[in-house]
Amino acid sequence: MGIKPLTHNSLSEVVRNFTPNWFTLNMGTGIAFLTLHNIKANLFASQMFWGEILWLVDIFFFVLFSVLFIARIVFYPEAVKLMFKHPVQSMFLGAIPMALVPILEGFAIFGPSLLGDMALDISLYLWWFDALLAAGVGWLLPYFMFTIQKEHKLENMTAVWLLPIVASEVTASAGGMLAPYFSAATAETMLVTSYILWAFSVPLALSVLVILFLRLVSHKLPEKALAVTSWLTLGPLGTGALGLLLLGNASRTVLMGTGLENVAEFLYSFGFIVGLLLWGYGLWWYVMAWIITLKYFKEGLPFNMGWWGFTFPVGVFTAATLQLWKATDYEVFKLLGILFAIQLAVFWILVFIKTLKGMWSGYLFQAPCLSPETGLPKPEEECEKFAKKRSDGK
């Protein structure tokens, strides 16, 4: 017995088949409007206006996806249990805290003009919530990998292993961006917490990249449905560099007049040096991702929600590049930052349009055990059980 693709797009079917990989849309859209804000070159007249519009669109989709995901947990808990056991689909739980980060940063950037001082309070509360969520996912998913997920083998490994791990460093980079907005005590606590979150993520992510290199050498490239995962390698490197650069900048402001004042300059220098090294490592993976992607494009690359991997990793690498331009005033970083930003814009427009078409037609709402970007089926008996319940209307 097999599971047939959905033939209608009822709300119950959408809820039953909703998976956390939809939050990658928020990640991609979020980094798009943050890039419009971060890039100081005036590429077009209404640059900041469209940044704010994308922020509001991102909030709409995040709320919508959160409602659908909570509804799935409440009404279809058996499907959620299957998701936790799946060695790929479960990794996208890490997308939820990462999706929230651009939104909470948007409250600090765009919010004050709409909500006044309350916008910064919202941003602060959301950041602490996101920190707990990111750390929780960073512990929970590896534990599931160690225990209930039975399908993990080196030949099946892809860069999606990075998703739950990278969430903490994404939150850390937001802490570096937000800390200067707040009072001394709050900012110092946020800064220290952000360095801890960075350490939760980057060393482990670097270890995964080593294993991933071994997997690619030993078992070659993954199947076409997982082609976009080659871009995910930029995530921990771009965000790791961005986080240290932002935290180092914030340290100069936040730690002045505190007991940690004597380490502020060190943290700035450390952030620049290590950030530059991580950026250089990321540049290697950036070129490799292009080479791999061009190979897949020649063979035909099927669209799935995994295509959002073209956006967020490129976006955070772009943000790190722009921060290096700000720190050094080197023209090469400016030119590369603009080039990467244009690439991000092209990818985002392409993937957003394809996603809207897929949502409208309903084909993107598939049973989670058969989502094409997972690459692996769930254990056969569990898929059969899930299919029977769906066909019986339970």
Side-chain angles (χ1 to χ4, degrees):
M1 176 181 177
I3 300 179
K4 297 179 180 180
L6 299 178
T7 57
H8 64 284
N9 198 20
S10 68
L11 180 60
S12 62
E13 287 294 288
V14 170
V15 170
R16 191 195 297 264
N17 291 280
F18 187 83
T19 53
N21 57 356
W22 282 92
F23 287 94
T24 58
L25 182 153
N26 295 111
M27 294 169 62
T29 303
I31 201 61
F33 72 71
L34 287 177
T35 301
L36 283 174
H37 173 263
N38 290 335
I39 193 164
K40 300 307 179 184
N42 293 318
L43 300 180
F44 53 90
S46 53
Q47 187 173 321
M48 291 302 100
F49 169 77
W50 284 109
E52 185 172 347
I53 292 297
L54 286 179
W55 173 59
L56 295 174
V57 168
D58 202 29
I59 292 174
F60 167 77
F61 277 112
F62 186 86
V63 172
L64 173 63
F65 295 160
S66 296
V67 170
L68 290 173
F69 190 56
I70 293 171
R72 188 186 190 213
I73 293 172
V74 173
F75 295 110
Y76 304 106
E78 77 286 352
V80 177
K81 291 177 183 178
L82 292 180
M83 179 192 67
F84 285 146
K85 292 182 178 180
H86 198 280
V88 178
Q89 197 60 247
S90 60
M91 298 295 108
F92 285 91
L93 287 169
I96 299 176
M98 288 190 282
L100 183 56
V101 164
I103 291 174
L104 65 88
E105 289 185 339
F107 274 101
I109 296 169
F110 306 112
S113 63
L114 301 174
L115 303 172
D117 293 339
M118 183 174 67
L120 287 177
D121 293 333
I122 294 173
S123 181
L124 180 61
Y125 295 142
L126 287 177
W127 186 84
W128 281 111
F129 173 74
D130 194 80
L132 292 173
L133 193 61
V137 168
W139 272 312
L140 186 65
L141 264 297
Y143 176 75
F144 285 163
M145 295 171 75
F146 300 160
T147 55
I148 65 174
Q149 295 179 359
K150 308 298 183 183
E151 300 293 326
H152 288 296
K153 298 177 182 178
L154 184 62
E155 60 266 31
N156 295 333
M157 178 205 182
T158 67
V160 295
W161 279 21
L162 294 165
L163 289 174
I165 296 170
V166 172
S168 291
E169 66 184 88
V170 174
T171 308
S173 67
M177 178 265 182
L178 293 174
Y181 284 91
F182 299 102
S183 63
T186 300
E188 183 178 349
T189 303
M190 180 180 285
L191 198 68
V192 172
T193 304
S194 294
Y195 274 109
I196 295 172
L197 289 171
W198 189 93
F200 270 14
S201 177
V202 176
L204 187 56
L206 292 175
S207 301
V208 171
L209 289 177
V210 172
I211 301 170
L212 179 63
F213 187 92
L214 174 63
R215 176 255 179 268
L216 291 171
V217 171
S218 302
H219 301 285
K220 311 311 172 189
L221 297 177
E223 61 179 273
K224 288 188 291 185
L226 291 163
V228 183
T229 59
S230 60
W231 290 92
L232 299 183
T233 55
L234 284 178
L237 299 172
T239 312
L242 177 65
L244 283 183
L245 289 164
L246 290 174
L247 290 169
N249 287 336
S251 297
R252 282 179 155 180
T253 303
V254 170
L255 299 181
M256 290 299 105
T258 71
L260 296 174
E261 181 176 356
N262 59 324
V263 300
E265 279 302 317
F266 167 77
L267 291 176
Y268 176 81
S269 299
F270 175 79
F272 173 74
I273 294 169
V274 179
L276 182 60
L277 293 176
L278 288 174
W279 183 89
Y281 187 15
L283 186 62
W284 187 92
W285 279 106
Y286 174 85
V287 175
M288 184 58 65
W290 261 122
I291 295 171
I292 293 172
T293 302
L294 291 174
K295 177 183 183 301
Y296 278 117
F297 268 129
K298 290 179 181 179
E299 300 173 1
L301 195 58
F303 177 74
N304 55 54
M305 286 300 291
W307 274 40
W308 282 102
F310 281 130
T311 58
F312 189 80
V314 173
V316 293
F317 193 63
T318 302
T321 306
L322 294 173
Q323 281 296 315
L324 286 170
W325 171 35
K326 181 180 177 181
T328 63
D329 205 30
Y330 289 172
E331 197 72 11
V332 64
F333 289 124
K334 175 184 176 180
L335 295 176
L336 286 174
I338 294 174
L339 177 65
F340 297 155
I342 293 172
Q343 176 186 333
L344 171 62
V346 172
F347 280 177
W348 181 85
I349 292 170
L350 173 66
V351 179
F352 191 77
I353 291 173
K354 284 183 173 290
T355 301
L356 290 182
K357 289 181 178 178
M359 291 172 70
W360 182 258
S361 65
Y363 83 87
L364 285 179
F365 295 106
Q366 297 290 332
C369 55
L370 293 184
S371 295
E373 69 269 23
T374 62
L376 294 169
K378 287 187 188 329
E380 184 177 347
E381 67 277 7
E382 293 183 335
C383 278
E384 296 289 346
K385 188 187 302 181
F386 184 80
K388 187 176 188 306
K389 288 184 178 183
R390 196 179 80 180
S391 62
D392 291 344
K394 295 181 182 179

